[in-house]
Amino acid sequence: MLSTERSSVMKAGIESMGMYVPRYALDLRELAVARGVDYGKYRQGIGQEIMAVPAPDEDVVTMGANAALRALEGVDRDSIRTVIFATESGVDQSKAAAIYVHRLLDLPPRCRSVEMKQACCSSTSALHFALASCALQPEHKTLLIASDIARYGLGSAGEPTQGGGAVAMVVSTEAKLLQIDPVVGYYTSDVMDFWRPNYLDEALVDGKYSIKVYKQALEQAWQHYVEEGGHAFSSFERFCYHMPFTRMAEKAQSHLLRCAGKCGGEEKLLPMIQSAQRYNREVGNCYTASLYMGLLSMLEQDPADLSGSRVGLFSYGSGCMGAFFSGQVLPGYRDFLNTQAHLDLLNEREMLSIAEYEHFYQSRLCEDGTAQELEVYAGGAFRLQGLRDHMRLYGERQNSLLTELESPLLSLGR
Ligand code: COA
């Protein structure tokens, strides 16, 4: 095909998406009772109902590989030339999580594999780097994985906004879900609203300050998007936001309405964002994956056929960086989704008691090089099997049968 003909049919954007969430979760009604808090604060005040709780034999690598397995269904693995793993819960200071995933998924050796970090928004820079790569080599596809575990500490203000999960997507010039517009608005400012020093397992966060700088970053990124020639506010039918908790999307949308000079548009606020809130409300924060879980939720759960609709997306990473960008939902997108599989994933989780959740939370891997074999919990196709000589050992779950009698939760009185 001539290059001019080819470029006229090329659609750069998201070709496929897959999600993985841990097989265990905590109903926030239980947490409210245990912490002596009115459930209305969690349900209405912050907009969360259930939070995902990763099992001790899961980490960002296994969750990312499990999500990628679904995103790669129907995609020729030999066409993947780049794997970008976006996370702020990395398992190694040196080796990229992308390399473990590359091996677990048996991807071709002629492939580059890297990890990226900037709090919750490195996944968005990864998306734009992947699109730039498409422009240089249109036949090469990128597997982008966003995977994270949000931990704030037992009994902390951030506790009900924990969670974990992964979203993987194939970014290519054969987009079937969302074609991404070239204009992006950025904002960077050195602030300390949320961070995690190397020696801590839990993030440090000033939640109220973080909400303030999130809104500031949204306003500035939107203005930059407009200056760069982006679409007018009135051309958007849906918005997706980074959601540390789903109520944040409502605060953000309300703020953007004001920034865009739309007085009296509050009645349209919820219909523009609520389909994107659904999955996140039942999973909790998953940092880099949060915005894209919202996008997937919108594509899979919005009652309207969104073909041709323009979607505004805002990515926020504490510290901080914001990016506002947009895309157009492609006709026929519903044929390329995994809606039922994702609903099953959400609906078939095992609800933990508070004691079980705290046990999962407190489980630790050996840090002195001692060999450790991990108990087998319910999970996806891949799991962390153990440690040896400071190396993480990943593998398939299929030969590690989990039966009622073997369940590690039995030792906790199940
Ligand atoms: N019924 C309904 N709503 C209630 C309520 C009740 N019984 N009790 C309180 N609320 C509302 C409050 O009015 C408040 O609403 P507002 O935001 O509109 O003012 C909301 O619930 C939260 O209450 P608040 O007292 O502010 O909660 P908090 O001090 O426990 O903090 C967070 C909440 C979200 C700031 C905290 O969980 C946090 O820091 N989470 C981490 C956030 C994060 O990850 N940020 C960084 C990445 S962007």
Side-chain angles (χ1 to χ4, degrees):
M1 193 186 274
L2 292 173
S3 60
T4 46
E5 281 177 60
R6 192 170 62 180
S7 63
S8 67
V9 294
M10 280 189 335
K11 290 186 169 63
I14 301 173
E15 179 176 333
S16 64
M17 293 179 89
M19 172 175 86
Y20 175 79
V21 296
R23 311 314 306 128
Y24 300 96
L26 181 67
D27 188 323
L28 292 193
R29 276 178 288 220
E30 298 281 330
L31 187 67
V33 171
R35 303 294 180 247
V37 172
D38 179 16
Y39 176 59
K41 174 173 173 179
Y42 296 164
R43 176 62 189 83
Q44 282 84 37
I46 65 173
Q48 294 303 127
E49 288 177 9
I50 298 172
M51 76 185 187
V53 184
D57 64 347
E58 289 189 300
D59 63 14
V60 289
V61 170
T62 62
M63 294 195 304
N66 288 326
L69 207 53
R70 204 173 297 281
L72 286 172
E73 278 169 21
V75 175
D76 173 13
R77 293 189 187 196
D78 285 335
S79 64
I80 304 292
R81 290 301 164 89
T82 304
V83 183
I84 312 183
F85 200 109
T87 188
E88 55 175 306
S89 322
V91 298
D92 195 290
Q93 284 284 8
S94 177
K95 180 165 174 159
I99 294 185
Y100 293 114
V101 173
H102 178 277
R103 198 252 309 161
L104 289 170
L105 297 175
D106 199 21
L107 292 171
R110 293 212 162 112
C111 191
R112 60 183 164 170
S113 305
V114 292
E115 184 169 313
M116 282 181 61
K117 178 176 70 182
Q118 179 7 60
C120 304
C121 75
S122 61
S123 42
T124 296
S125 292
L127 174 62
H128 289 115
F129 291 157
L131 291 166
S133 173
C134 284
L136 290 172
Q137 290 174 301
E139 62 283 5
H140 291 179
K141 300 184 180 185
T142 295
L143 173 64
L144 196 173
I145 297 164
S147 180
D148 266 305
I149 297 171
R151 283 171 66 92
Y152 293 101
L154 300 179
S156 68
E159 186 179 29
T161 63
Q162 297 179 127
V167 172
M169 49 199 138
V170 173
V171 181
S172 75
T173 52
E174 295 171 32
K176 296 183 174 67
L177 302 178
L178 190 74
Q179 185 167 5
I180 308 283
D181 299 326
V183 174
V184 188
Y186 296 116
Y187 176 72
T188 290
S189 173
D190 184 2
V191 294
M192 297 301 280
D193 60 327
F194 169 109
W195 69 106
R196 183 166 69 84
N198 287 341
Y199 49 84
L200 291 184
D201 285 334
E202 283 98 22
L204 300 169
V205 59
D206 181 342
K208 302 274 161 50
Y209 180 52
S210 191
I211 293 169
K212 192 173 154 201
V213 286
Y214 178 118
K215 290 201 274 192
Q216 190 180 344
L218 169 62
E219 184 171 341
Q220 293 293 324
W222 166 256
Q223 274 173 20
H224 187 216
Y225 174 83
V226 171
E227 283 158 24
E228 292 287 302
H231 293 276
F233 185 87
S234 55
S235 56
F236 291 101
E237 278 158 74
R238 294 288 182 274
F239 288 88
C240 290
Y241 290 96
H242 166 58
M243 286 178 267
F245 48 97
T246 69
R247 184 78 202 295
M248 189 65 228
E250 291 155 39
K251 290 175 189 277
Q253 181 70 358
S254 174
H255 189 67
L256 188 62
L257 276 170
R258 280 195 294 278
C259 297
K262 303 287 163 197
C263 304
E266 297 284 332
E267 72 286 354
K268 290 195 194 140
L269 188 150
L270 276 180
M272 290 179 117
I273 59 170
Q274 64 190 3
S275 58
Q277 292 174 303
R278 159 91 195 267
Y279 291 173
N280 302 58
R281 183 174 288 127
E282 296 179 22
V283 174
N285 198 357
C286 41
Y287 297 157
T288 50
S290 162
L291 171 66
Y292 298 94
M293 192 171 285
L295 173 64
L296 191 58
S297 179
M298 184 200 79
L299 294 173
E300 293 186 343
Q301 298 303 325
D302 202 291
D305 180 355
L306 297 176
S307 298
S309 301
R310 193 153 311 275
V311 181
L313 299 105
F314 177 65
S315 188
Y316 176 75
S318 290
C320 75
M321 192 201 130
F324 189 95
F325 63 108
S326 56
Q328 193 168 25
V329 180
L330 289 161
Y333 70 99
R334 281 174 161 160
D335 296 338
F336 300 96
L337 294 168
N338 278 303
T339 308
Q340 194 52 52
H342 290 144
L343 281 176
D344 291 346
L345 202 57
L346 289 170
N347 294 336
E348 291 168 7
R349 291 178 291 176
E350 192 172 332
M351 291 296 156
L352 297 173
S353 66
I354 289 290
E356 289 165 345
Y357 148 66
E358 292 186 350
H359 171 73
F360 275 26
Y361 186 90
Q362 281 157 344
S363 79
R364 288 281 181 282
L365 297 175
C366 287
E367 293 186 347
D368 61 0
T370 307
Q372 184 181 10
E373 194 176 331
L374 296 177
E375 289 183 280
V376 184
Y377 290 82
F382 304 109
R383 64 181 287 267
L384 176 63
Q385 296 165 324
L387 300 171
R388 194 184 60 231
D389 299 331
H390 295 284
M391 291 183 275
R392 285 183 180 239
L393 307 174
Y394 294 104
E396 291 185 17
R397 184 179 307 272
Q398 62 186 15
N399 296 324
S400 329
L401 289 177
L402 178 75
T403 67
E404 271 298 299
L405 286 174
E406 291 167 334
S407 172
L409 293 174
L410 279 177
S411 59
L412 288 166
R414 276 262 168 128

